Amino acid sequence: YKESYFELTADLDLSGHNWTPIGSNEGTADANVRNGNPFSGRFDGGYHTISNLTISTDKNYQGLFGYLRSNRSENDPCISRLILINPNIQHTGSESEGIGSLAGVLDFAAVVNCAVEGGSVSGHNGVGGLVGTAISGQNSKIFSCYNAGTTVTGNARVGGVLGGGRS
């Protein structure tokens, strides 16, 4: 997905599908170790909606996108203009890291003009309504995004838009 551009041109309903995230950091249990196959392209949602995204797993880095990493300017978004409606993201294991409806982990990446409305996101650590964990200090950005009524639950680093950040 490196440097690729994708544009959503219609609303999507993912009812009845258990989603596998786009982009991963497979091969490590540590979000600070950068390997795997992260999504590093650009995705423009065009203000369309993705409804009923469902993920039920015991793996880390879960969301529509599992792991986002960009080598571009932080002002050049990886993900923009997307609305998620009624997601159901559930981490089923005993420990988790990076659980969100839109993205599990942002690593030197930006999310702009995105929203989550309704549904639920649950995990243990680094759980956010939109993004689970942002790493790379100030180089991961979330601009003009919101959570409207999505229930978010976890044990540590839990938030309505962003679960937590790490250097």
Side-chain angles (χ1 to χ4, degrees), residues 3 30 56 70-72 79 92 94 159 161-162 165:
E3 302 303 319
D30 184 352
S56 181
S70 173
N71 294 320
R72 296 181 306 273
I79 311 299
T92 59
S94 60
V161 173
L162 171 65

Side-chain angles (χ1 to χ4, degrees), residues 1-2 21-28 33-41 65-69:
Y1 312 111
K2 189 173 184 175
I22 301 166
S24 70
N25 194 29
E26 293 295 322
T28 180
V33 177
R34 291 156 174 89
N35 55 1
N37 187 28
F39 181 83
S40 59
F65 295 88
Y67 199 94
L68 297 173
R69 181 174 61 225

Side-chain angles (χ1 to χ4, degrees), residues 19 21 55 57 59-66 89 97-100 103-104:
W19 184 258
I55 299 172
T57 185
K59 294 182 179 179
N60 291 330
Y61 319 131
Q62 297 297 310
L64 179 66
F65 295 88
I89 314 301
E97 175 67 38
I99 310 297

Side-chain angles (χ1 to χ4, degrees), residues 11-31:
D11 295 344
L12 296 177
D13 185 347
L14 297 178
S15 294
H17 302 281
N18 192 32
W19 184 258
T20 299
I22 301 166
S24 70
N25 194 29
E26 293 295 322
T28 180
D30 184 352

Side-chain angles (χ1 to χ4, degrees), residues 72-93:
R72 296 181 306 273
S73 161
E74 68 269 11
N75 296 319
D76 186 13
C78 279
I79 311 299
S80 63
R81 306 183 323 148
L82 181 62
I83 302 164
L84 299 176
I85 306 292
N86 294 322
N88 181 17
I89 314 301
Q90 180 181 19
H91 188 273
T92 59

